[in-house]
Amino acid sequence: MHCSSPKMVCETKIVADEHDAIQGTKKDSIIVSSSQMWTSSTPAPNPIEENYVRKDTVFIREFERTDHVEVRRIFYEGIMERIPNTAFRGILQQSQTQFLYVLLTLMCFAVSKSLALTCCAPFVLMGARYFYSSKVIHNYLACALQTDMADIEEYYMKPTGSCFWVAVLEGQVVGIVAAQGREDDNTVELRRMSVDSRFRGKGIAKVLGRRVLEFAMHNNYAAVVLGTTAVKMAAHKLYESLGFRRTGGSEDYMLPGMSRSPLERLFFQIRYQRYRLQLREE
């Protein structure tokens, strides 16, 4: 199995509104309270709320070696969510696959003349989708955990123009994001964004995304780009709320670790979409 450096961003539930831009350079930490995550017109907390704000403060800082276990856990759990999403939710976006599965069901009836077998056909097809979704996602995870997620310092912290950040809430790592500079076209790629499912809905992903944008601006990159195979619309709404615009994609994307076998192609299809946020004209 050949493993290349995969490009996928985990989907994240986001409900927070706009807030003021957070300043900082690559070596700065960002401190954001929950009250800052909603609207810039929100009044300052009164003394009664002070303890609540302190408790719910999110810190965005650079990755440290001691974060590795929690970072891998958040990444792993986020990717594993994609198995049912791709198998079941993903088919709603694939009209050709829906037509093919209906055709296969009708063929089952034409061959067997059995209503019972025909009624079972859709369940067999969806079971096969789940099986191949699990197989492909596990292969993808194996590739990722053997490449950049195996040595975050080597891939993101040491190279110039790249970085990896974690979001910390109450002393616990609850979110991750990476920026990888591309000198050939003077862009930064936003990668590996994921938030612990227990802490979603607090605007953490949006703050992580803005950290990458600020990093790109401070380092004079022309644009920030990303590629996503996320099925949930929440992820796409997040990118659009940050200013990204869709620039293209593929309806039948091949993830790293896929075998490209006929059965895999039949039961696993995934849509890949590219986004770009232009920071300045070259």
Side-chain angles (χ1 to χ4, degrees), residues 83-94 97-102 104-105 118-134 266-269:
I83 295 176
N85 286 337
T86 303
F88 305 131
R89 192 190 297 258
I91 197 173
L92 300 176
Q93 304 172 354
Q94 299 158 359
T97 301
Q98 293 175 35
F99 175 78
L100 177 60
Y101 288 0
V102 170
L104 289 173
T105 302
T118 303
C119 290
C120 290
F123 295 99
V124 172
L125 291 171
M126 296 309 294
R129 282 185 64 88
Y130 186 89
F131 172 81
Y132 280 97
S133 177
S134 177
L266 177 62
F267 294 114
F268 183 87
Q269 307 86 27

Side-chain angles (χ1 to χ4, degrees), residues 1 101 128-129 131-137 139-140 252-270:
M1 180 177 64
Y101 288 0
R129 282 185 64 88
F131 172 81
Y132 280 97
S133 177
S134 177
K135 177 176 178 288
V136 171
I137 295 301
N139 287 343
Y140 169 80
D252 190 18
Y253 183 64
M254 304 299 293
L255 280 176
M258 289 183 69
S259 67
R260 302 175 183 265
S261 68
L263 284 176
E264 197 171 82
R265 287 176 177 271
L266 177 62
F267 294 114
F268 183 87
Q269 307 86 27
I270 195 163

Side-chain angles (χ1 to χ4, degrees), residues 73-268:
R73 178 190 64 81
I74 292 172
F75 173 73
Y76 179 88
E77 292 177 356
I79 297 299
M80 288 297 290
E81 291 177 4
R82 300 186 60 78
I83 295 176
N85 286 337
T86 303
F88 305 131
R89 192 190 297 258
I91 197 173
L92 300 176
Q93 304 172 354
Q94 299 158 359
S95 56
Q96 291 183 346
T97 301
Q98 293 175 35
F99 175 78
L100 177 60
Y101 288 0
V102 170
L103 183 61
L104 289 173
T105 302
L106 294 176
M107 288 176 61
C108 176
F109 179 76
V111 172
S112 67
K113 305 299 182 182
S114 169
L115 187 60
L117 286 176
T118 303
C119 290
C120 290
F123 295 99
V124 172
L125 291 171
M126 296 309 294
R129 282 185 64 88
Y130 186 89
F131 172 81
Y132 280 97
S133 177
S134 177
K135 177 176 178 288
V136 171
I137 295 301
H138 276 97
N139 287 343
Y140 169 80
L141 269 170
C143 287
L145 295 175
Q146 291 171 13
T147 53
D148 62 313
M149 296 304 291
D151 194 344
I152 291 170
E153 289 183 319
E154 186 67 28
Y155 272 81
Y156 297 110
M157 304 308 294
K158 291 182 180 179
T160 302
S162 297
C163 197
F164 196 104
W165 297 272
V166 298
V168 180
L169 179 63
E170 298 181 29
Q172 180 179 352
V173 175
V174 298
I176 61 175
V177 73
Q180 189 169 47
R182 305 195 316 197
E183 299 300 330
D184 56 336
D185 59 358
N186 196 30
T187 64
V188 164
E189 183 180 3
L190 185 154
R191 306 191 68 200
R192 303 309 190 199
M193 181 187 287
S194 187
V195 174
D196 190 318
S197 59
R198 297 169 296 175
F199 298 93
R200 293 177 188 170
K202 298 179 180 291
I204 295 171
K206 183 171 284 190
V207 178
L208 286 167
R210 284 180 171 155
R211 188 65 188 92
V212 175
L213 304 187
E214 290 157 9
F215 172 83
M217 288 187 290
H218 283 298
N219 287 275
N220 297 316
Y221 283 100
V224 180
V225 298
L226 65 89
T228 181
T229 55
V231 176
K232 291 183 179 178
M233 290 306 299
H236 300 277
K237 290 179 180 179
L238 165 64
Y239 307 140
E240 291 170 1
S241 73
L242 288 169
F244 286 90
R245 295 294 176 264
R246 199 172 302 178
T247 59
S250 169
E251 292 298 318
D252 190 18
Y253 183 64
M254 304 299 293
L255 280 176
M258 289 183 69
S259 67
R260 302 175 183 265
S261 68
L263 284 176
E264 197 171 82
R265 287 176 177 271
L266 177 62
F267 294 114
F268 183 87

